[in-house]
Amino acid sequence: MQSKDNIDVLLKKFILNQCSKIEVDQVVSYFQGIKESSQLPSVEEVLELLDEKPILNEVVANRIEHSIIKEVQKDKKTSLKKKLQFWKYAAAAIFIGLITTTYVFKSNTSNTPLEVTPRIVNTIVPGKDKATLTLEDGSLISLEKGASFKTKNAKSNGEQIVYQNAKSNPSSIKYNYLTIPRGGQFSLKLSDGTEVWLNSESQLKYPVRFIEEETREVELVYGEAYFDVSPSTNHKGAKFKVLNNTQEIEVLGTEFNIKAYKDEVNIYTTLVEGKVAINTPNLKQLLTPNQQSILDTQNNTLSVIKVDVLEVISWKEGVFSFINKPLKDIMKVLSRWYDVDIIFENKELESVEFIGTLNKNQSIDEVLSIMKSFSLNNYEIKGDTIILN
């Protein structure tokens, strides 16, 4: 096994495209030989070497990912939020950067630094915190990072909007809408303390204030949302329900994710903690943690599978985690986040699967370059359109 000093030198050379074939093999062998995740360089140590943006060999990346997942799952007593925080930074250490020159590394038998072809700059940028708030009188307010906003009921710092829980009980319910465009994300705290994270191309309808002791209801009109619900014990037993046009979710626990996009047939409800009941006009299903219900809205069928919740909700932590997902599904996710149109010129690519973890702050070029190394044949970027061929 390489000493720590030696591997630090090799890692830096690897990142700077200065490894010979033998040295690349040594780096790969080093990670292959690690059996305990505690022996890995810390996330901080790896990030310290990322100034020049690394190019990770597939074997290296997979080995690091395996060890990180093992670390995340090792301590069952660690709270989910701490696990997700670790996952967020670990993912940045795994896949930040480009993989397009991986095979060039393998063929370089000298110690001569390799030249990387400059990239064509495009105008496609990652998504950011932004939303449109529709007030009860129909007024539209633009929310975005760096811009604060305040009403008598709520205030926003540009990343989250927080509603106040007034002491007096409202005589009637007034609703606001929070709409997230393509290329956006936003979070809010409802007046009962429930927190909601909204993904790109989503809309939530909710009361400005809930009526005490009555069921607390919100509606995910479309899109994807993660809920951390304030328990009914804090609200005199008042239940919490999430509605959409085909199902109703009665919350018996705290944290869950709903994915219900307009252009998708299935609605996915994933339980992280607690318990929820899925209700449709003809079906009812209880979920326990790590279960996901899949409601087929065309055939009105409901199935339940076991899932890795960290993969499902990684979007909330600034990470895309794709485990054997077909490119057709992955490109839907990317099109929403980067606000682009994607055309499959080669239809056979739609069913090709990809496994990988991507940082949501990466450029579209970096993301596509990584995927090209594993799954894509080629791609072109023309304005706001990506062509896969």
Side-chain angles (χ1 to χ4, degrees):
M1 168 100 33
Q2 297 280 338
S3 70
K4 187 180 186 307
D5 289 342
N6 285 344
I7 197 61
D8 283 350
V9 171
L10 283 175
L11 278 173
K12 187 148 191 175
K13 288 183 72 175
F14 192 77
I15 288 167
L16 294 175
N17 301 356
Q18 294 174 353
C19 277
S20 67
K21 180 181 184 302
I22 292 174
E23 287 172 329
V24 170
D25 290 340
Q26 288 174 340
V27 173
V28 173
S29 297
Y30 169 74
F31 283 104
Q32 286 176 322
I34 291 177
K35 292 184 171 56
E36 296 296 330
S37 54
S38 60
Q39 294 178 296
L40 279 168
S42 71
V43 172
E44 289 77 12
E45 289 173 326
V46 176
L47 290 175
E48 208 172 284
L49 297 173
L50 298 188
D51 293 339
E52 300 296 326
K53 296 199 173 179
I55 298 158
L56 297 177
N57 179 283
E58 178 181 359
V59 178
V60 176
N62 287 343
R63 183 62 196 167
I64 297 174
E65 182 178 27
H66 174 76
S67 296
I68 285 171
I69 291 172
K70 182 178 178 182
E71 176 70 22
V72 169
Q73 295 175 340
K74 184 173 67 175
D75 186 359
K76 298 297 184 182
K77 295 180 181 178
T78 302
S79 73
L80 179 66
K81 290 180 181 177
K82 286 184 180 178
K83 290 179 184 178
L84 287 172
Q85 189 71 6
F86 178 83
W87 176 267
K88 175 180 178 180
Y89 290 105
I94 301 169
F95 279 106
I96 276 185
L98 312 175
I99 303 182
T100 50
T101 55
T102 295
Y103 300 106
V104 182
F105 277 133
K106 291 183 179 178
S107 61
N108 184 27
T109 56
S110 70
N111 286 312
T112 306
L114 298 172
E115 294 185 4
V116 180
T117 304
R119 295 190 164 273
I120 298 173
V121 177
N122 64 70
T123 57
I124 299 172
V125 295
K128 61 181 181 180
D129 295 312
K130 59 180 177 180
T132 298
L133 173 65
T134 305
L135 300 176
E136 53 269 30
D137 64 1
S139 302
L140 299 179
I141 308 295
S142 232
L143 304 174
E144 58 182 271
K145 194 168 185 177
S148 59
F149 168 76
K150 188 174 182 179
T151 69
K152 64 178 182 179
N153 297 311
K155 60 181 178 179
S156 172
N157 61 2
E159 298 176 37
Q160 182 186 51
I161 184 166
V162 178
Y163 285 80
Q164 298 173 346
N165 186 16
K167 293 180 180 179
S168 59
N169 213 16
S171 56
S172 61
I173 293 182
K174 296 179 180 179
Y175 290 95
N176 282 183
Y177 288 81
L178 194 63
T179 306
I180 317 300
R182 281 161 57 106
Q185 63 182 10
F186 217 78
S187 66
L188 71 156
K189 181 179 280 190
L190 300 173
S191 63
D192 69 337
T194 293
E195 292 191 78
V196 188
W197 289 260
L198 289 165
N199 208 346
S200 302
E201 203 171 7
S202 301
Q203 185 180 79
L204 186 74
K205 176 185 176 182
Y206 54 92
V208 173
R209 287 165 56 196
F210 295 101
I211 296 177
E212 194 174 337
E213 298 185 46
E214 289 190 8
T215 299
R216 298 165 288 157
E217 289 187 351
V218 301
E219 180 183 355
L220 180 61
V221 182
Y222 57 82
E224 183 169 23
Y226 182 92
F227 291 84
D228 186 349
V229 178
S230 179
S232 58
T233 51
N234 294 346
H235 304 282
K236 299 183 178 180
K239 297 178 181 179
F240 191 96
K241 290 184 178 181
V242 180
L243 314 177
N244 66 23
N245 61 351
T246 51
Q247 70 175 20
E248 172 188 291
I249 298 174
E250 182 180 340
V251 181
L252 308 172
T254 52
E255 300 187 37
F256 58 99
N257 192 85
I258 308 174
K259 184 179 179 184
Y261 280 104
K262 291 183 289 186
D263 60 351
E264 295 185 15
V265 172
N266 294 331
I267 295 176
Y268 302 88
T269 304
T270 307
L271 185 62
V272 178
E273 291 182 7
K275 193 179 291 185
V276 297
I278 312 295
N279 296 305
T280 74
N282 303 311
L283 303 166
K284 183 171 182 177
Q285 178 68 51
L286 286 174
L287 294 185
T288 56
N290 303 310
Q291 286 188 330
Q292 179 184 82
S293 68
I294 305 171
L295 175 62
D296 185 326
T297 59
Q298 285 186 342
N299 299 320
N300 193 32
T301 58
L302 186 67
S303 58
V304 176
I305 61 173
K306 188 173 182 179
V307 295
D308 178 354
V309 295
L310 294 180
E311 178 198 349
V312 174
I313 67 174
S314 62
W315 65 269
K316 171 180 164 287
E317 302 301 319
V319 174
F320 292 127
S321 179
F322 301 119
I323 308 298
N324 295 326
K325 295 288 185 184
L327 288 181
K328 184 177 180 180
D329 292 347
I330 291 173
M331 290 304 161
K332 281 184 180 180
V333 174
L334 298 182
S335 70
R336 293 176 188 130
W337 180 240
Y338 291 94
D339 191 11
V340 294
D341 295 320
I342 295 177
I343 298 172
F344 280 89
E345 217 168 58
N346 179 358
K347 295 296 183 182
E348 292 181 358
L349 286 175
E350 292 184 347
S351 58
V352 173
E353 294 184 342
F354 171 79
I355 178 171
T357 306
L358 307 166
N359 189 301
K360 288 174 70 176
N361 289 325
Q362 287 176 278
S363 72
I364 193 67
D365 260 336
E366 290 174 321
V367 168
L368 293 174
S369 295
I370 290 170
M371 300 184 76
K372 183 179 176 183
S373 297
F374 297 108
S375 304
L376 295 179
N377 295 331
N378 203 2
Y379 67 89
E380 296 176 70
I381 299 178
K382 294 184 177 180
D384 294 331
T385 300
I386 297 169
I387 303 169
L388 308 180
N389 44 41

